[in-house]
Amino acid sequence: MASDVDTAPLVGRAELMRTVRSALLGDGAHGQTAAVFLTGESGVGKTRLLGELGDQLRDQGAVVLTGSCLDIGDASPLHPLLQALRRFDADVSTSHARATSAVRGLLQMFADETAGPDGAGALLERVSRGLHLIAEGRPLVLILDDLQWVDRSTRQLLLYLLAGLGDLQLSVLAAVRAESLQGAHPLRRVLTELRRLRTVRVLDLAPLDRADTEELATAVVGRTLSADAAEQVWQRSGGNPFVIEELARDLRDGRDGLSETLREIFLDRVDALPQHAHAVVHAVAAGVEPVQHWLLAQVLRLPEDELIDAARAAVAHRLLVGADDGYRLRHRLVAEVLAHELLPAERSGLHRRYAEALTAAPGELHQARLAHHWRLAGEPARALPAAVAAAQEAERLHGYAEAHRHWSAALQLAAEPGPPAVDRVELLGNAAEAAHHCGEHARALALLEELVALRGGEPSCALHIRRARYLAAAGRSALAEEEYQRALEAADCSPRERAAAAARLAELLLHLGRYADAGQRAREALALAENVEGSATEVVLASSALGFSDAFLEDPDAGLAVMRDALDTAERAGQPEDVACAYLHLAELLTGPLNVLEEGVVVARRGAERVAELGLGRTWGTRLLAIAINGLFRVGQWAEAEKVVAAALRHRPSGADAVELLLARCRLSVGYGDIDAAGRDLDAVATLLAGGGARHVIPLLTLRSGLAMWEGRHDVARLAVQRGLTESRSDDVMILSALVWHGLRAEAEAHASRTMAVDPTAVRRLRDVADRMARKSAGAARPVRSVVEGFLALCAAEVSRLDSSDPELWAASVSEWDRRHHPYPAAYSRLRQAEALLARRSRLATAGKLLREAYRVAQGLGAVPLTSEIRELAGRARVSLEEHETTGGTRSAPAESADDELAALTAREREVLALVAEGLTNKEIGQRLFISERTIGVHVSHIFDKLQVRTRVQASAIQLRNQRG
């Protein structure tokens, strides 16, 4: 089933195509017949694959004959072969006179053929000889589409040729529509016989997975899909490429609903079912998947044998999927189509039978399903208690997204006429809390405001605390701080509530980087909690804030011990948010102030797994993964960090959780030089950070400055830094020192590029801030001082660039960052040290060595802008960047022969080039080598430069030429 509109790319089939090519023309198939039969449902892409494979096999030198079987009962014998011969005759060039003569001879033989005493065997032998003449010693491939409609004579020919009974050695590639092979279909027996042959393979063409579905839909739409749109296409299509393309076109063209094309296709498939199978599909479409067999039996009330036969037919027609836990629709679109085919009374009757069957079932009640079916049966009074029970059950199992959905359904049901009177304030409170826990922060705030309006009067202390929690989670930190202050000042605040407000305010101040204030509030909270029974949550929050504050400002070991105790307390108490908070601040401390990066990354990833088990993966889990990404970035494991980004994005975070993740991803994008992606993330963070604190604003402006410098927009970089310097309420000298370095670097870059004048006032202010940081960090914990000293070394070296760059200051910076195992700033410092040495025309050999070391690190990271700057400097100075070359640019004795075109490539680049020559995309190469797509792009760029080619085809030709050599 091919799309007849615009051609979409072929996605997710590269591995299958390699398998088919190898089976038909590979070493294992040489000198003997071979066959591949592709099976799959309609629309899965069989015809498209046959076309692509046919083109590739022709490019490999094979003679390819292509034909299709007809969906008519009286098709002429050997019709697909005749069609293939006529097409070949029309396309073959006059240079193949012998092949043309053989084709026309075969066609004439078919025209003159009459029944004779020799029978079918003689005809098959003559066909075999004719095909042998057409091949002219080349591999011959017969491609047949829609083989489910094959005529009897063609079936016999396939058996004859593939069994090796003729003198022809050929390959057969055929596509079969799987749902058509039902009952006693004659092709089933043929395939069964052919499977016994060692050179015959039957491959099932599976639907696309989630990632490939999104890639195909994105290509058709022409832009990146939103997370909701991508999920909707995946759920509705079931990975069927034809359906994906149709749905994507509807999205692209702004069409709502289901296209008539898809509607008619699925209706035809359902209408082709036997009567009882038709009823089974309708019932499963109305049910909540998976629909268990016993439940389906209760709803349909069919005898067991008839029900099994009907379900088997629906599965065989590729409309249902059967598993141990029940039946599912292969495509959710079927449910949409069938919803319009039943009368309202029929639909409500089906849902009523489901609800009655579930109510009567022994054992545990299925509350979520009951609520769903009673609601659609028109019984809100019976649906409401089930929805409430389902929400409570989901919360008990930490399924907060499900709980939010059920509480929302309960609110809707309570508003309908008929249900018994319920406490709407209580429903709103439960729904808001579930929304908060599952990351729907805006929804949580809206529900809370509705609750406040419904209750009337002044908000209580508890409501102030709740609103503050929701505001903080939404990234609106300034408003959250005000709400906590109101709670502490409220006259009705109980000792427990006062302790809770103080502890949560301490935790918020910690997020804002105000560590001294956080420590003070934490001590107050702990003192208040001493007089409150069962105050584990308050103790955990306050202890985490106090431990972090002490570790940053005073004693790292003592503070770390307090935080580990807080985690133990949280695990014993078992409150999900307490566990999450303790993990978060412990991981932050290790990857940040203490600079114990490897352990911090482990703690962050372990914490993310733990909080996901507790139902908080979308919120706290995302933040923990963001911490892991930052740690991996600093230690130079950028490819691994990308994998963690992809895992975190699957949570689809919002609010402050999204801010943490977007900032972490943006660091990678700036390092990679992905200007557009970094800009989008920074704009998104700026939008989300209304009312945010310095702990987020300063990194945002630092990244914006770094991005602007790679773009050559030094005035933008200067403004970003100046804005960041106004954020004066943070105790975090580490993030401030990074900002000051970027400010001085912007002035130095402007001076070097002569794009704008250096601002002496800005330089003086930045140097003053650097001096203040040095004094302030002197009283901080030793690990904090260590990190700040690294940035101060960069600052001093950047200042020297404004006059005459001092190589000794850059050497000091190299030493500082090497000691901390931060490869990126160390590589940058080596570049600048080499630049300073070359400018002074001194120690040229040392400069070359520094450039090669920096180049090796930058290439390994995939840091494109830094790599480009290193190569530019090396080019100007005529310094070779290859390890096996001397600094003067003259090649030392090469390991390989001088005529080896690939001698200039590194081992990794050779690996990448070999896979490029196989036709793999950058994404597929990355998956094969377990490194990021961006890193592959960097390798491919270097390969092109070294081989002096401009296209993948040219590079592949060099690879293949050297393989043959």
Side-chain angles (χ1 to χ4, degrees):
M1 182 183 298
S3 177
D4 59 356
V5 189
D6 46 330
T7 302
L10 188 65
V11 172
R13 304 303 191 195
E15 187 64 37
L16 180 82
M17 292 175 74
R18 282 193 294 274
T19 300
V20 172
R21 291 198 306 269
S22 175
L24 297 180
L25 296 184
D27 294 338
H30 183 69
Q32 56 186 329
T33 58
V36 175
F37 295 90
L38 298 175
T39 67
E41 65 177 338
S42 301
V44 81
K46 301 182 296 298
T47 299
R48 173 73 183 279
L49 261 182
L50 292 186
E52 296 281 346
L53 285 165
D55 291 341
Q56 293 182 8
L57 294 169
R58 285 188 191 93
D59 292 343
Q60 289 182 247
V63 175
V64 178
L65 302 178
T66 303
S68 301
C69 302
L70 292 180
D71 184 18
I72 55 176
D74 56 351
S76 58
L78 299 174
H79 168 79
L81 179 60
L82 283 167
Q83 183 187 57
L85 291 170
R86 292 190 185 106
R87 288 176 177 172
F88 186 78
D89 185 37
D91 295 339
V92 74
S93 66
T94 56
S95 61
H96 293 286
R98 184 179 175 190
T100 302
S101 175
V103 169
R104 291 174 181 170
L106 260 181
L107 290 171
Q108 187 61 44
M109 181 197 75
F110 286 125
D112 298 340
E113 181 67 22
T114 58
D118 294 340
L123 172 63
L124 297 178
E125 178 61 29
R126 290 198 293 275
V127 171
S128 175
R129 286 200 299 270
L131 293 175
H132 181 78
L133 291 173
I134 293 170
E136 295 184 301
R138 292 173 292 169
L140 178 67
V141 180
L142 179 60
I143 295 181
L144 302 175
D145 198 5
D146 287 325
L147 199 66
Q148 69 277 358
W149 297 322
V150 66
D151 62 273
R152 182 171 179 271
S153 298
T154 305
R155 290 199 305 270
Q156 290 178 331
L157 177 64
L158 287 176
L159 286 170
Y160 180 84
L161 295 176
L162 293 177
L165 298 178
D167 61 355
L168 176 68
Q169 293 172 345
L170 91 162
S171 300
V172 174
L173 174 61
V176 186
R177 189 176 297 179
E179 63 264 29
S180 299
L181 300 183
Q182 305 304 319
H185 195 292
L187 188 60
R188 293 181 68 180
R189 182 174 58 82
V190 173
L191 290 177
T192 300
E193 293 180 20
L194 290 176
R195 281 177 189 267
R196 299 171 185 161
L197 302 177
R198 186 173 59 84
T199 56
V200 174
R201 299 187 67 177
V202 179
L203 303 177
D204 186 54
L205 195 56
L208 300 181
D209 62 19
R210 174 71 168 75
D212 288 333
T213 295
E214 183 170 352
E215 181 181 345
L216 177 56
T218 298
V220 174
V221 174
R223 64 177 185 276
T224 302
L225 299 183
S226 68
D228 288 340
E231 180 66 18
Q232 187 179 48
V233 171
W234 164 243
Q235 291 294 340
R236 297 174 76 197
S237 70
N240 183 288
F242 176 80
V243 179
I244 295 166
E245 291 181 32
E246 289 293 316
L247 293 173
R249 289 190 185 96
D250 289 344
L251 273 176
R252 181 192 63 195
D253 301 336
R255 290 192 294 267
D256 293 328
L258 195 62
S259 71
E260 285 303 313
T261 302
L262 287 177
R263 187 181 303 281
E264 291 303 320
I265 287 170
F266 282 114
L267 280 178
D268 285 346
R269 290 178 61 181
V270 174
D271 290 343
L273 291 170
Q275 180 182 357
H276 291 326
H278 191 278
V280 165
V281 172
H282 270 284
V284 174
V288 177
E289 296 180 345
V291 177
Q292 297 95 330
H293 186 80
W294 67 265
L295 182 56
L296 193 62
Q298 293 289 321
V299 171
L300 291 178
R301 299 164 187 169
L302 287 173
E304 181 68 8
D305 291 345
E306 292 183 20
L307 177 60
I308 289 176
D309 288 343
R312 189 188 302 279
V315 169
H317 280 75
R318 299 293 179 108
L319 287 165
L320 290 188
V321 176
D324 291 342
D325 60 349
Y327 301 104
R328 293 176 174 84
L329 292 172
R330 185 175 287 272
H331 305 283
R332 285 306 305 167
L333 277 177
V334 174
E336 295 182 41
V337 171
L338 295 183
H340 300 284
E341 297 302 306
L342 295 178
L343 295 171
E346 290 179 297
R347 283 199 301 273
S348 62
L350 261 178
H351 289 294
R352 181 177 295 279
R353 290 202 297 275
Y354 266 116
E356 290 170 346
L358 289 167
T359 302
E364 185 178 357
L365 289 177
H366 308 268
Q367 299 292 353
R369 292 187 176 195
L370 270 176
H372 171 79
H373 289 300
W374 280 129
R375 179 174 62 83
L376 293 178
E379 296 277 2
R382 303 179 77 171
L384 178 58
V388 170
Q392 292 169 339
E393 181 181 359
E395 287 180 335
R396 181 175 59 82
L397 299 173
H398 308 301
Y400 296 110
E402 293 78 10
H404 174 229
R405 189 170 65 250
H406 296 315
W407 285 121
S408 297
L411 281 169
Q412 292 176 346
L413 290 166
E416 295 184 16
V422 293
D423 186 348
R424 187 168 181 83
V425 169
E426 183 180 354
L427 286 180
L428 285 166
N430 288 326
E433 192 69 6
H436 166 70
H437 283 307
C438 74
E440 295 289 344
H441 304 305
R443 174 69 174 158
L445 283 166
L447 290 167
L448 187 63
E449 294 311 311
E450 186 180 346
L451 183 154
V452 171
L454 191 63
R455 285 183 55 172
E458 287 294 317
S460 64
C461 177
L463 275 176
H464 282 303
I465 294 173
R466 181 181 277 199
R467 182 184 284 135
R469 288 171 53 224
Y470 296 176
L471 286 167
R476 298 160 70 180
S477 305
L479 293 175
E481 184 178 357
E482 292 174 8
E483 283 295 322
Y484 281 130
Q485 293 289 1
R486 291 191 187 103
L488 290 168
E489 295 165 3
D492 67 332
C493 208
S494 67
R496 177 182 295 281
E497 289 170 339
R498 200 172 299 279
R504 292 188 180 279
L505 178 55
E507 205 258 339
L508 174 65
L509 293 170
L510 191 66
H511 278 298
L512 296 177
R514 291 158 55 187
Y515 304 135
D517 293 343
Q520 180 183 344
R521 285 293 185 182
R523 290 183 177 88
E524 292 175 13
L526 288 171
L528 290 167
E530 285 181 359
N531 302 316
V532 177
E533 284 291 327
S535 57
T537 295
E538 291 73 21
V539 169
V540 169
L541 293 175
S543 297
S544 295
L546 180 60
F548 195 106
S549 174
D550 285 351
F552 192 98
L553 299 172
E554 299 175 19
D555 187 340
D557 293 335
L560 186 59
V562 170
M563 296 190 73
R564 294 191 190 280
D565 288 343
L567 178 57
D568 291 340
T569 301
E571 287 285 14
R572 287 195 301 272
Q575 289 297 319
E577 276 204 340
D578 299 349
V579 174
C581 179
Y583 264 116
L584 181 81
H585 294 312
L586 178 58
E588 281 182 321
L589 181 65
L590 291 168
T591 58
L594 299 190
N595 199 39
V596 189
L597 297 174
E598 289 81 2
E599 183 184 356
V601 169
V602 170
V603 169
R605 297 180 84 165
R606 185 190 304 142
E609 292 176 2
R610 178 73 178 107
V611 300
E613 295 171 0
L614 298 173
L616 300 176
R618 186 184 179 195
T619 51
W620 294 90
T622 297
R623 293 190 186 193
L624 281 158
L625 290 177
I627 293 170
I629 295 162
N630 289 331
L632 291 166
F633 176 84
R634 292 186 183 112
V635 297
Q637 296 184 33
W638 291 11
E640 182 63 22
E642 275 198 287
K643 295 178 184 177
V644 181
V645 168
L649 285 173
R650 285 196 285 271
H651 291 310
R652 297 162 61 197
S654 64
D657 315 316
V659 167
E660 300 279 5
L661 179 59
L662 290 172
L663 286 173
R665 184 171 70 173
C666 187
R667 287 186 183 91
L668 282 168
S669 297
V670 171
Y672 282 131
D674 193 338
I675 304 296
D676 292 338
R680 286 194 300 270
D681 283 347
L682 289 174
D683 290 342
V685 170
T687 301
L688 290 167
L689 268 185
R695 191 166 173 272
H696 289 134
V697 173
I698 291 178
L700 165 69
L701 294 170
T702 302
L703 287 168
R704 196 175 288 285
S705 173
L707 181 63
M709 278 187 274
W710 286 134
E711 294 178 289
R713 300 163 63 199
H714 303 115
D715 54 337
V716 175
R718 175 189 288 166
L719 287 173
V721 172
Q722 289 174 352
R723 282 185 55 204
L725 293 176
T726 63
E727 294 284 343
S728 58
R729 297 190 67 190
S730 175
D731 299 321
D732 199 331
V733 288
M734 294 168 59
I735 60 173
L736 192 58
S737 60
L739 178 74
V740 173
W741 166 47
H742 276 67
L744 290 168
R745 179 183 160 202
E747 298 298 333
E749 295 286 353
H751 174 72
S753 64
R754 304 186 190 281
T755 55
M756 67 178 192
V758 173
D759 184 347
T761 303
V763 173
R764 186 165 54 252
R765 183 185 182 193
L766 287 164
R767 296 182 71 173
D768 289 344
V769 175
D771 291 341
R772 286 202 306 272
M773 284 191 309
R775 292 193 298 272
K776 192 171 183 179
S777 64
R782 176 59 198 155
V784 176
R785 293 201 306 275
S786 176
V787 175
V788 173
E789 286 166 2
F791 282 112
L792 290 176
L794 281 168
C795 290
E798 296 286 5
V799 169
S800 78
R801 290 177 70 196
L802 298 174
D803 182 16
S804 176
S805 190
D806 187 343
E808 297 306 319
L809 290 176
W810 286 112
S813 180
V814 169
S815 176
E816 289 285 346
W817 291 108
D818 275 347
R819 184 159 53 86
R820 290 167 185 77
H821 307 292
H822 287 216
Y824 185 79
Y828 172 80
S829 299
R830 283 186 170 88
L831 164 65
R832 296 297 173 221
Q833 184 185 359
E835 183 181 56
L837 289 171
L838 291 169
R840 298 184 179 200
R841 300 185 181 279
S842 65
R843 296 162 58 193
L844 298 183
T846 301
K849 181 180 178 182
L850 288 165
L851 282 176
R852 281 189 290 276
E853 289 176 359
Y855 184 66
R856 175 181 56 79
V857 171
Q859 270 197 310
L861 293 172
V864 175
L866 182 58
T867 300
S868 299
E869 194 164 347
I870 294 167
R871 294 174 67 185
E872 183 180 346
L873 176 60
R876 291 199 309 268
R878 297 185 179 180
V879 172
S880 170
L881 294 175
E882 294 302 322
E883 294 289 346
H884 60 271
E885 295 179 352
T886 64
T887 56
T890 58
R891 188 180 298 274
S892 60
E896 291 131 331
S897 63
D899 59 351
D900 183 357
E901 295 173 280
L902 307 183
L905 303 186
T906 65
R908 174 63 90 185
E909 287 166 351
R910 287 174 180 245
E911 280 186 288
V912 171
L913 178 58
L915 296 174
V916 167
E918 287 186 28
L920 273 66
T921 64
N922 287 1
K923 178 181 179 181
E924 292 166 338
I925 295 171
Q927 292 170 345
R928 183 79 67 88
L929 298 180
F930 301 102
I931 54 181
S932 75
E933 184 178 355
R934 283 195 183 94
T935 304
I936 296 299
V938 173
H939 285 312
V940 171
S941 176
H942 293 160
I943 290 167
F944 284 8
D945 287 344
K946 291 178 180 180
L947 299 183
Q948 296 185 350
V949 298
R950 298 178 64 183
T951 69
R952 298 171 85 91
V953 173
Q954 293 170 332
S956 299
I958 294 175
Q959 166 71 12
L960 295 172
R961 186 161 61 239
N962 280 268
Q963 280 182 336
R964 287 196 295 270

